[in-house]
């Protein structure tokens, strides 16, 4: 049960949906610790946070040493709700993206949240309660050109949380995966593109005139110009729904936010249904003939 003493830790709390969730939780009467890479900048960007009683914590989840910092934060503040929000999007073609850039994307979007979960989970287990919230992305339903590294990072960390939800459901710990669509935040300004091709717009010569140029170019334009009208989401409305789900309880694992995310999920489900039906006969024919076996595995144990 939530009380006024319930403590939230929100990573990436200085901007975007993380900022909105922090303020929404404070407005609901909870204690909020906001993790940010630069406290001085965060104080300027989100002045209402401290004014409402929020506590800033300098912490970069992507840093290899962040596990110890999360553990220290847990000892000091006794976290009840962990919101893994910090991250960024890397937009670039698969061929044009360096291994280092992929590693950096995974450090922020995969290893950072995983470090936070592993550091804070022991205390939640000991208390027999807690909430783990992952701010993922509706991009998991849209494998668009130029989003290979970003979509891979979000899909991978979602898979971890899906498994985690089953591991901790009998321990009093709830997991929620939030999948926002296109929201009007500063998130787009922090997108990164292949450094090796910065002088040519973020893509190599071989991809000029292709969908890679189209999608990377779109990301470049969004970084430097006003948000297009396709970004309709209100981050404050989204934040209130996240807080409401945690406080009042939820019987779902994935919280989709935004009509565009709903459409993308429906298209993905339709595509999967098509492939399932198209290959069902093949799939059902590939078991070996084992003596005394019905050859019907319904448990999923082998997956």
């Amino acid at each position: 049960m939530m009380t006024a003493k319930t403590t939230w830790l929100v990573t990436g709390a200085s901007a975007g949906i993380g900022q909105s969730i922090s303020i929404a939780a404070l407005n609901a009467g909870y204690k909020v610790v906001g993790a940010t890479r630069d406290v001085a900048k965060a104080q300027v960007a989100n002045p209402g946070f401290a004014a409402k009683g929020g506590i800033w914590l300098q912490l970069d989840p992507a840093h290899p040493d962040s596990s110890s910092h999360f553990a220290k934060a847990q000892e000091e503040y006794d976290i009840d709700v962990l919101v893994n929000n910090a991250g960024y999007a890397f937009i670039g073609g698969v061929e044009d993206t360096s291994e280092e850039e992929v590693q950096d994307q995974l450090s922020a979007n995969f290893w950072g949240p995983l470090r936070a979960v592993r550091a804070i989970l022991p205390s939640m287990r000991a208390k027999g309660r807690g909430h783990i919230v992952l701010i993922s992305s509706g991009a998991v339903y849209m494998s668009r050109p130029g989003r290979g590294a970003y979509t891979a990072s979000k899909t991978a960390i979602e898979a971890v949380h899906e498994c985690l939800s089953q591991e901790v459901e009998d321990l009093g710990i709830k997991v929620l995966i939030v999948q926002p669509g296109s929201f009007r935040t500063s998130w787009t300004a922090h997108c990164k593109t292949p450094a090796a091709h910065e002088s040519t717009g973020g893509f190599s010569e071989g991809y000029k005139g292709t969908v890679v140029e189209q999608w990377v170019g779109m990301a470049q334009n969004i970084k430097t110009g006003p948000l297009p009208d396709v970004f309709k989401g209100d981050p404050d409305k989204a934040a209130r729904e996240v807080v409401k789900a945690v406080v009042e309880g939820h019987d779902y694992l994935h919280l989709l936010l935004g009509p565009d995310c709903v459409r993308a999920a429906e298209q993905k489900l339709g595509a999967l249904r098509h492939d399932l039906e198209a290959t069902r006969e093949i799939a059902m024919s590939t078991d070996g003939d084992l003596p005394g076996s019905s050859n019907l595995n319904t448990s999923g144990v082998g997956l």
Side-chain angles (χ1 to χ4, degrees), residues 220-250:
Q220 296 280 36
N221 292 337
I222 291 174
K223 283 177 63 176
T224 57
L227 282 174
D229 291 341
V230 69
F231 287 80
K232 299 179 184 296
D234 182 335
D236 293 336
K237 286 184 177 181
R240 289 193 291 270
E241 292 300 330
V242 172
V243 172
K244 180 180 178 181
V246 172
V247 173
E248 297 184 5
H250 52 92

Side-chain angles (χ1 to χ4, degrees), residues 46 56 72 74 88 95 111 140 149 202 218 231 244 262 283:
N46 191 2
W56 287 116
K72 183 178 179 182
Q74 175 59 41
Y88 70 92
E95 184 181 348
W111 287 111
V140 298
M218 188 185 306
F231 287 80
K244 180 180 178 181
V262 171

Side-chain angles (χ1 to χ4, degrees), residues 74-302:
Q74 175 59 41
E75 291 177 6
E76 185 171 353
Y77 299 109
D78 191 20
I79 307 302
D80 300 293
V81 182
L82 168 64
V83 181
N84 269 316
N85 168 74
Y88 70 92
F90 186 91
I91 310 296
V94 171
E95 184 181 348
D96 293 340
T97 303
S98 71
E99 184 172 324
E100 181 181 3
E101 287 167 332
V102 174
Q103 292 285 8
D104 288 345
Q105 179 74 112
L106 291 172
S107 291
N109 294 359
F110 179 83
W111 287 111
L114 184 57
R115 292 182 185 115
V117 168
R118 297 186 70 245
I120 291 174
L121 196 52
S123 177
M124 289 185 175
R125 278 195 300 103
K127 292 186 291 187
R129 68 178 189 278
H131 294 266
I132 296 173
V133 181
L134 172 68
I135 307 301
S136 181
S137 170
V140 298
Y141 300 121
M142 302 173 281
S143 297
R144 304 296 194 202
R147 294 189 182 185
Y150 177 65
T151 304
S153 69
K154 289 297 188 179
T155 303
I157 196 59
E158 278 205 14
V160 169
H161 281 71
E162 288 172 355
C163 294
L164 177 66
S165 69
Q166 299 173 63
E167 295 172 0
V168 300
E169 63 181 343
D170 294 330
L171 304 177
I173 300 168
K174 295 277 288 184
V175 176
L176 179 65
I177 299 171
V178 181
Q179 298 170 320
S182 301
F183 279 77
R184 301 191 70 80
T185 71
S186 60
W187 172 86
T188 53
H190 301 294
C191 291
K192 296 183 179 181
T193 53
H197 306 291
E198 183 177 357
S199 62
T200 55
F203 56 91
S204 57
E205 184 65 26
Y207 289 94
K208 187 173 179 60
T210 70
V211 292
V212 172
E213 178 183 5
Q214 176 186 342
W215 283 90
V216 175
M218 188 185 306
Q220 296 280 36
N221 292 337
I222 291 174
K223 283 177 63 176
T224 57
L227 282 174
D229 291 341
V230 69
F231 287 80
K232 299 179 184 296
D234 182 335
D236 293 336
K237 286 184 177 181
R240 289 193 291 270
E241 292 300 330
V242 172
V243 172
K244 180 180 178 181
V246 172
V247 173
E248 297 184 5
H250 52 92
D251 60 357
Y252 46 82
L253 177 58
H254 302 88
L255 173 57
L256 285 70
L257 294 173
D260 55 338
C261 186
V262 171
R263 289 191 295 269
E266 289 174 337
Q267 290 173 3
K268 182 72 171 182
L269 287 171
L272 287 173
R273 173 59 64 181
H274 172 272
D275 290 354
L276 172 62
E277 297 306 328
T279 62
R280 181 186 295 275
E281 186 175 348
I282 298 171
M284 299 303 289
S285 71
T286 54
D287 271 0
D289 296 322
L290 302 180
S293 170
S294 67
N295 289 325
L296 184 61
N297 180 4
T298 60
S299 67
V301 171

